[in-house]
Amino acid sequence: MNHAYMDEIFEIIFENAYHCIVIVDKEGVITNINETYCKFLGIDKSRALGRHVTKVIENSRMHHVVKSGQEEIADIQYIRGNHMIANRVPIFDENEVVGAVGTVLYKDTEEWMKMNSHIKDLLLALENQRKALKEQHGVTYTLHDIVGSSEAITHLKEKVKRVASGDVSVLLRGESGTGKELFAHSIHHLSERNEQPFIKVNCAAIPDHLLESELFGYKEGAFTGAKKGGKLGKFQLAHRGTIFLDEIGDMPLSAQVKILRVIQTGEVEALGSMTTDKVDVRIIAATNQPLEDLIDKQQFREDLFYRINVIQLDIPSLKERREDIRILAKYLLFQISMRVGKRIVDFNEQVMNQFLSYSWPGNVRELENVIAAAVHLTNSEWIQEHDLPAHFAKIDATKDKSLKSIIEETEKIVIKKALSKYNGDKKAVQQELCIGKTKLYEMIRKYKL
């Protein structure tokens, strides 16, 4: 059988298969894709060929298969509002991966709609089960919810797995928005206490005069306005489980003394009580503050610090794991789009470049907020620059900027906008920005406005 005939047979099978088929090279670039797949994606074949697979197929993992050399069979992939069944198989040439072939199950619309409905029903059942577990034990997240494959986050996940099974206290340290609560949930979920309550206390959100009653409870008549029958504190509610003391650096010294006593004795004394209650809790604390500095200022007890800091986990900031930004952004886009009920395919390259170069002082929480705003603002299937919220879109983010350059850039944007707003009326600009005449003229010359 000659090669030309074999090529013809392949082409017939390739183009008439009920399955969607795509082939990529070792760089993840599409070298072939059948019309069935193009029809499903709503694109011309000429627009797909020669482009990286992630630019054509949403949530594709073909480039990961090429990189790892590991096949992925019967994986659920969300494409164009549907949950599809995808197979991805690497192609080898003399033990070297030279590409990969992917297939997506797509026989006919009616059959697929039945299967897709079944998958959605299973996912809904899974979500309902997670909600039930949350209501019963207070745990919302697991280690699988922490997205990223960078060395920093992978190492941290492995450390979580090692320390979770024990009962020692854990201190989570990291900037605001890095996901400290997710790690606290994950530790509890992987521990022997996972069937028991997980109780969160935000030490910064509870007024000082209420913190002790919230932590340790009170008896009826303990103070004016005390609830009839009294109230259990967070420590009593967490008995046999885990208590998560978030923002512990904001806890007043009076409460710190009592927390220390609970750790040392395993006993809690409710306000207005003449007796103590035995409690068995594991403590996970979190802070974005340098507790050592607070100790020097006598704002945090050193003996409590050593009690809660048996194992310390440092959560990396988003700028310390920039390689996770792309996959994290796409994961958040998928989650938010599903929640909002809009079909958003991806970000255009300009938006993604801006994400990759921005410093993200608010970390993952800021990234999530920016994407959520863009999802609500966009009228298309792709997030574009004009869809980004105004405060973010104005930032010309480039890697490793100095504080001075960021300030100068912001000054230029603000002054330029004010001059435009008042049609060059410098007196009005002075009043708007609360700056002197000399300073304004100096900046206009400096930035050539």
Side-chain angles (χ1 to χ4, degrees), residues 20-258:
C20 298
I21 306 174
V22 63
I23 300 174
V24 301
D25 63 16
K26 62 182 180 181
E27 304 299 331
V29 173
I30 296 175
T31 58
N32 211 337
I33 183 169
N34 66 354
E35 290 294 343
T36 305
Y37 213 158
C38 292
K39 183 179 178 182
F40 176 66
L41 295 172
I43 60 170
D44 293 327
K45 190 170 185 176
S46 59
R47 286 188 56 208
L49 295 175
R51 297 179 66 194
H52 196 272
V53 67
T54 56
K55 301 294 189 299
V56 178
I57 304 170
E58 61 183 304
N59 303 310
S60 177
R61 288 185 49 82
M62 292 289 286
H63 53 306
H64 291 297
V65 170
V66 170
K67 186 176 180 180
S68 68
Q70 300 293 316
E71 65 179 24
E72 297 180 356
I73 304 298
D75 186 36
I76 295 177
Q77 184 175 345
Y78 188 76
I79 312 176
R80 293 184 64 83
N82 291 297
H83 295 90
M84 315 294 284
I85 305 296
N87 296 325
R88 310 177 190 97
V89 181
I91 302 170
F92 289 89
D93 182 18
E94 295 183 356
N95 296 321
E96 181 184 349
V97 178
V98 294
V101 59
T103 60
V104 171
L105 181 61
Y106 179 70
K107 278 199 171 182
D108 59 69
T109 306
E110 184 179 351
E111 181 178 340
W112 176 249
M113 287 304 293
K114 288 179 183 176
M115 188 176 295
N116 190 48
S117 296
H118 178 61
I119 292 172
K120 285 182 177 178
D121 185 53
L122 290 174
L123 291 174
L124 183 61
L126 179 61
E127 183 60 27
N128 288 336
Q129 186 179 24
R130 290 186 65 174
K131 286 180 180 177
L133 284 171
K134 178 187 176 184
E135 290 172 5
Q136 183 179 356
H137 303 303
V139 176
T140 309
Y141 307 105
T142 70
L143 213 55
H144 297 291
D145 293 298
I146 301 169
V147 177
S149 56
S150 62
E151 185 177 347
I153 211 71
T154 301
H155 176 72
L156 188 56
K157 284 184 179 182
E158 289 302 318
K159 195 170 182 180
V160 166
K161 291 175 186 177
R162 292 198 301 271
V163 305
S165 59
D167 252 355
V168 295
S169 299
V170 178
L171 178 61
L172 303 171
R173 308 187 75 162
E175 297 175 6
S176 293
T178 49
K180 294 185 289 293
E181 185 174 348
L182 272 70
F183 282 95
H185 282 245
S186 300
I187 292 168
H188 175 77
H189 184 264
L190 293 171
S191 74
E192 298 300 318
R193 297 173 179 261
N194 62 0
E195 294 297 323
Q196 302 301 325
F198 176 91
I199 304 296
K200 178 188 174 183
V201 181
N202 189 333
C203 303
I206 304 173
D208 289 2
H209 67 284
L210 295 178
L211 188 58
E212 288 187 43
S213 63
E214 282 291 314
L215 288 174
F216 312 115
Y218 57 81
K219 295 296 182 182
E220 183 177 338
F223 51 84
T224 303
K227 192 190 298 183
K228 186 177 180 180
K231 179 184 176 182
L232 291 174
K234 301 293 188 182
F235 271 90
Q236 290 95 324
L237 293 170
H239 182 51
R240 299 184 188 280
T242 303
I243 189 164
F244 174 45
L245 302 175
D246 197 13
E247 306 296 353
I248 196 170
D250 293 306
M251 180 179 285
L253 286 167
S254 57
Q256 292 179 32
V257 174
K258 291 201 172 186

